[in-house]
Amino acid sequence: ELKVEQNPLFLSMQEGKNYTIYCNYSTTSDRLYWYRQDPGKSLESLFVLLSNGAVKQEGRLMASLDTKARLSTLHITAAVHDLSATYFCAVDISPERGSQGNLIFGKGTKLSVKP
Amino acid sequence: GAVVSQHPSRVICKSGTSVKIECRSLDFQATTMFWYRQFPKQSLMLMATSNEGSKATYEQGVEKDKFLINHASLTLSTLTVTSAHPEDSSFYICSARRGPTGNTIYFGEGSWLTVV
């Protein structure tokens, strides 16, 4: 059974601090996505990681992918209140399904950044 | 602007009735779209893969007769919740990949369904 495990599930940070969210998965996928969800809203695409060793950065967020360890990380640098949201990682299982875009999501990490 | 659009964004229906949710790709053709369900404070669960011109593929545990999916054109997939019950109340979200080799998967704005 495919598992996508995120931790922590809840994260309360102070502004200015750094932290990392971890995403472990059990399939052999080499394609992983990170999304942000604000309360009551749909998903906003943050990063698409397509190969082993991929690293992408946007502002205070940086994501990486290690397909051998089946691990992706989302690192937050000098957090600000605007980053408060729920962050999901999702593994692309399309190759297994012969389709294009089947995603299995982690449970999400609810981030709260406090002044 | 939105790349994948859903309608309606919110719908309230009576128990036992059916409700249809539309998912459109706005400026690209999508031979495959995906439907997810998200209960409050939970993650997204893949319900089914909508295939243009053929039957949808449902995930294990999802009732195909209850959640009818029609992908009649390259830009439109519909999800019909039949004989809805309060436990079907949820946030339904569709997604599509932009092109067969596109790397980004876009999500619609989501549809809040409340069954009373």
Side-chain angles (χ1 to χ4, degrees):
Chain A
E1 180 189 349
L2 170 63
K3 291 183 180 180
V4 181
E5 296 182 344
Q6 271 182 254
N7 70 84
L9 298 182
F10 298 93
L11 178 55
S12 181
M13 299 175 63
Q14 281 193 310
E15 282 191 329
K17 299 292 186 181
N18 306 330
Y19 209 84
T20 300
I21 299 171
Y22 297 89
C23 177
N24 291 273
Y25 57 96
S26 61
T27 186
T28 56
S29 176
D30 58 1
R31 191 184 291 241
L32 189 136
Y33 298 78
W34 284 95
Y35 291 93
R36 168 180 171 147
Q37 185 177 40
D38 291 297
K41 303 292 186 181
S42 188
L43 301 180
E44 174 190 350
S45 179
L46 294 176
F47 299 107
V48 181
L49 303 170
L50 301 176
S51 61
N52 185 40
V55 177
K56 291 195 174 180
Q57 183 165 5
E58 181 72 34
R60 301 174 187 274
L61 301 178
M62 183 174 70
S64 66
L65 177 62
D66 181 343
T67 59
K68 293 181 180 179
R70 301 182 186 178
L71 169 69
S72 180
T73 61
L74 180 66
H75 186 73
I76 303 158
T77 302
V80 293
H81 179 70
D82 286 350
L83 290 179
S84 298
T86 298
Y87 294 84
F88 290 96
C89 66
V91 175
D92 191 340
I93 61 169
S94 299
E96 299 176 21
R97 299 298 183 88
S99 185
Q100 300 166 353
N102 308 69
L103 298 181
I104 302 298
F105 282 80
K107 290 187 176 181
T109 298
K110 185 173 182 179
L111 172 65
S112 175
V113 181
K114 301 181 186 299
Chain B
V3 178
V4 175
S5 179
Q6 278 183 247
H7 177 80
S9 57
R10 291 182 179 274
V11 58
I12 300 173
C13 70
K14 291 185 177 181
S15 187
T17 62
S18 297
V19 61
K20 181 186 289 187
I21 301 170
E22 295 184 346
C23 177
R24 295 182 184 273
S25 55
L26 295 183
D27 60 357
F28 66 99
Q29 294 181 335
T31 56
T32 308
M33 293 183 176
F34 302 88
W35 287 96
Y36 295 82
R37 179 167 56 183
Q38 185 180 30
F39 291 111
K41 299 185 178 181
Q42 295 190 23
S43 186
L44 282 78
M45 185 193 79
L46 179 64
M47 298 176 66
T49 302
S50 174
N51 303 300
E52 189 270 334
S54 65
K55 292 182 179 180
T57 305
Y58 290 83
E59 296 299 306
Q60 191 173 8
V62 177
E63 300 174 59
K64 64 177 72 174
D65 294 330
K66 180 169 185 62
F67 299 99
L68 300 180
I69 292 173
N70 184 21
H71 196 148
S73 78
L74 288 170
T75 59
L76 173 64
S77 174
T78 60
L79 169 68
T80 301
V81 183
T82 63
S83 186
H85 289 95
E87 57 265 31
D88 297 323
S89 298
S90 185
F91 191 46
Y92 292 86
I93 314 175
C94 69
S95 73
R97 184 192 298 271
R98 189 171 191 156
T101 58
N103 295 325
T104 302
I105 296 173
Y106 296 95
F107 283 80
E109 306 96 330
S111 300
W112 285 100
L113 170 63
T114 302
V115 184
V116 297

